[in-house]
Amino acid sequence: MTQAPRSQAPSHQAAPPLAADARTVRDPAAQAQTARDPAAGGGGGAPAGAPDAATPTAEGSSAAGSNDAAASAAAEPGGRLSAAAPAALGLAALLGLPALLEGSPFYLEILALVFLWGAMAGAWNIVSGYAGKFSLGHAAFFGLGAYASSILYARGGVSPWLGIPVGMALSVALAAFIGLVTLRLKGKYMALCTIAFVSLMEILAVHFRDLTGGSEGLMVPYEPGLANLTFANDHEKLVWAYVFAALALGVFLLCRRLERSPLGYRLAALREDEDAAEALGVNTLAVKLTSFGLSAALTSLGGSLYAQYMLWIEPQYVLSMELSTQFALFAIIGGVGSAVGPFLGAGLMFPLLTLSRSAFPGLPPGFNMLVYGLALIVAVLFFPKGLIALGPPLRRLARLIGRTGRARLGRRPAAGETAAGLNAAEGPAGSSHA
Amino acid sequence: MLEIDNVTMRFGGLKAVKDVSLTVAAGDLAGLIGPNGAGKTTLFNVVCGQLRPSAGRVLFEGRDVTGWKPHRSIRLGLGRTFQITRPFGRLSLLDNVVIGAMCREKSLDRARQAALGRLAQVGLADRAQDTAQNLPLGLRKKLELARILATRPRMLLLDEVMGGLGPREIEEMSRTISQIHGEGVSIVLIEHVMPAVMSLCQRIAVINHGELIAVGSPQDIRADRRVIKAYLGESVAGDSPGGQGSAAASQTAAQAAAQATTASSATEA
Ligand SMILES: Nc1ncnc2c1ncn2[C@@H]1O[C@H](COP(=O)(O)OP(=O)(O)OP(=O)(O)O)[C@@H](O)[C@H]1O
Ligand SMILES: [Mg+2]
């Protein structure tokens, strides 16, 4: 299908500090370029920031997950304390890592995209994780957002700041339509049906070439300025890393909030048993459409930002099955139905893919899908709950180490401490969809 | 309070409910009995909006609620439990009930308070934090009840809440039902556990093959020829003289019904 996505991170890197050159790299012809950072294969250090960034909130479990509200409430006093350290750490990583990496644009770009893809997996997770409505159609919203703001800007001179909300509104409308058609369907049927919409959108984008630029893609004008959401060369990547970090943080906090809200409970009820939810007064159609719309709006926002970041979009990528799969995969690998999971998944998978691409430049275009497939199988077989399932044992271990440390110092842990800790360690249950 | 007006429910060629008309007054504790496959659950499904009837109307407190989505009728106070319990498996018992309580409470804190109260009412307070999917059947039935109670229904349709329970659990459940009724909730009870139905209900309706064949007091129902026939089949009923004086026959009817209980618990398990 397309080569662009796989080479994006590396291709930026191909013309490191000179953003003007990077523009030319965005030329479709140059997209097939693969990375050639010799050091790339070695270091996995950079992306570790993303998991860190997300970790603080792994503490405590969501009411909407399988854990019980009272238990987490009971764990709250202790939980607050122990959550403070990772929270601070995560925030520091979010703010500090991009700055640290400024000298190496290759890693900075990976980091920025980890934030973006984490946010997108998080948005997907709202409807497919919390509500259990499995969508493989989210590229439709990503692409719609990207095209809406870019077309308005490139063809009509409308600032992306206005194009973004327009794209989001269109995506919500599209989500309502897709939702009414597909949300009644169960599991795999819904997934299959949503795929169709992505293909349909791609066909439309290719067909209306006067508007969209057709299959060659659409170039977004390069006119630096905050009003155009385009940044001048010198600190461009750093700024975008922060923009995507903010997006990631926003999605993450929204999901955390959602988990503890009535809507979060309703989503969980929907996921567990739709008929029972309805019989208990949950307006299941409204809840489904709300979560789908919210998810679509966030995905659309990500698409618009991505277009401004790349200054070039092509239908074969922004409206591809591959992208749709990627949203789902990152969330599933990290842990579906939890706020932090999608970021863990993106933080692990995206750097892994990008680095292996740059280490082995000869990899065929289908390589990503192969890795996605294998990773999905491994995840489903061995980590049905995703990486977040590793959280509780790690926390228990940390507590154990802490306790032995204290014991050596001759202090005993307070009685409540361990009890609450064990409760909290139950961990939120993700639902596995495979 | 509830008026079922000439309701028919067709599934393809099968008429699961045939032209049933039935009213339940406010304050009633009514029973709905009939052999397996008679159409009892289907009738509940029609009343609560899980199914839209092929013909007929359902009125709740004078309002036509035919084909209303369940989440709307529950807001009017018309609630039901499911014969095959449907817990939110990966949620705690408390969260299960909180979802019911959210039907009336805007704030989660208050919903949680209400939910704890309901769990206590059915005797599940000490397991509030357990995950619902690991619950044994008896407790799942209680959870189902607590959940719907949390929506503060004014009329409750209970579909075999005693199915598959042991004698002690049945007694406990009977007591809970009386207590709920005592709080002013009107109740319709589908049940195969005849002794419990007979002692709890003031009025009993019997359906067979989708048709309403009798409505009356427990005494009337015990003596009703068509009811005995429905439970025991043609031959026995043919011998029975009918009318009064068939104490022996009513005895056998109760026994037959008791057997039906075992059958239905087998299906549930
Ligand atoms: N959704 C459906 N589609 C097709 N047939 C159905 C459906 N629901 C019920 N039936 C059929 O309608 C008839 C009545 O079923 P129903 O579940 O109402 O019986 P019931 O009186 O509740 O029996 P039980 O005591 O075993 O619970 C049965 O023959 C059943 O197979
Ligand atoms: Mg039934």
Side-chain angles (χ1 to χ4, degrees), chain B residues 11 14 16 34-43 51 83 160 192 264:
Chain B
F11 296 118
L14 174 81
N36 287 120
K40 307 179 294 294
T41 299
T42 305
L43 189 60
L51 294 171
Q83 177 174 356
E160 296 196 29
H192 286 297
S264 85

Side-chain angles (χ1 to χ4, degrees), chain B:
Chain B
M1 190 176 197
L2 177 70
E3 212 173 310
I4 299 169
D5 187 7
N6 295 99
V7 162
T8 296
M9 186 70 225
R10 234 177 268 119
F11 296 118
L14 174 81
K15 268 191 188 173
V17 175
K18 291 177 206 159
D19 204 27
V20 168
S21 292
L22 198 61
T23 56
V24 184
D28 263 3
L29 202 175
L32 180 60
I33 65 171
N36 287 120
K40 307 179 294 294
T41 299
T42 305
L43 189 60
F44 272 19
N45 285 340
V46 167
V47 169
C48 292
Q50 274 82 23
L51 294 171
R52 177 181 275 278
S54 317
R57 295 189 312 160
V58 179
L59 300 163
F60 185 65
E61 301 200 302
R63 216 187 297 210
D64 190 337
V65 298
T66 318
W68 276 30
K69 291 281 222 65
H71 77 263
R72 284 183 74 199
S73 26
I74 189 80
R75 242 155 254 277
L76 287 185
L78 179 59
R80 62 91 53 94
T81 63
F82 291 98
Q83 177 174 356
I84 295 171
T85 57
R86 313 187 69 146
F88 302 125
R90 278 170 295 193
L91 307 193
S92 68
L93 303 203
L94 180 62
D95 287 349
N96 264 269
V97 185
V98 163
I99 286 158
M102 282 184 340
C103 180
R104 303 286 172 203
E105 303 287 357
K106 280 234 153 43
S107 106
L108 267 182
D109 280 339
R110 296 184 54 183
R112 220 167 269 140
Q113 287 310 313
L116 282 170
R118 293 309 183 176
L119 279 172
Q121 187 176 1
V122 300
L124 285 175
D126 53 330
R127 308 195 59 152
Q129 313 303 344
D130 291 8
T131 304
Q133 64 195 353
N134 306 322
L135 228 50
L137 178 67
L139 302 190
R140 282 215 304 274
K141 297 269 181 189
K142 289 181 176 179
L143 174 63
E144 186 90 7
L145 192 58
R147 235 169 36 165
I148 196 68
L149 282 175
T151 68
R152 282 199 255 130
R154 285 185 299 138
M155 171 168 283
L156 205 44
L157 311 186
L158 302 176
D159 197 347
E160 296 196 29
V161 282
M162 301 178 191
L165 301 193
R168 265 194 48 203
E169 290 173 308
I170 289 178
E171 203 175 300
E172 226 179 306
M173 187 58 87
S174 293
R175 237 179 295 124
T176 311
I177 292 172
S178 307
Q179 186 213 335
I180 296 164
H181 182 239
E183 287 170 12
V185 181
S186 316
I187 294 177
V188 183
L189 196 65
I190 292 181
E191 202 50 74
H192 286 297
V193 182
M194 281 312 138
V197 180
M198 295 293 169
S199 66
L200 275 172
C201 299
Q202 306 143 348
R203 230 162 49 94
I204 296 174
V206 189
I207 59 176
N208 188 28
H209 297 304
E211 277 174 283
L212 189 68
I213 56 171
V215 183
S217 68
Q219 292 79 6
D220 297 341
I221 294 300
R222 266 203 202 102
D224 192 287
R225 232 184 91 219
R226 295 185 64 190
V227 176
I228 297 162
K229 188 166 118 188
Y231 274 101
L232 295 178
E234 291 293 333
S235 57
V236 180
D239 298 339
S240 162
Q244 29 135 255
S246 54
S250 73
Q251 197 61 36
T252 33
Q255 274 163 13
Q259 277 164 6
T261 315
T262 352
S264 85
S265 32
T267 37
E268 163 92 10

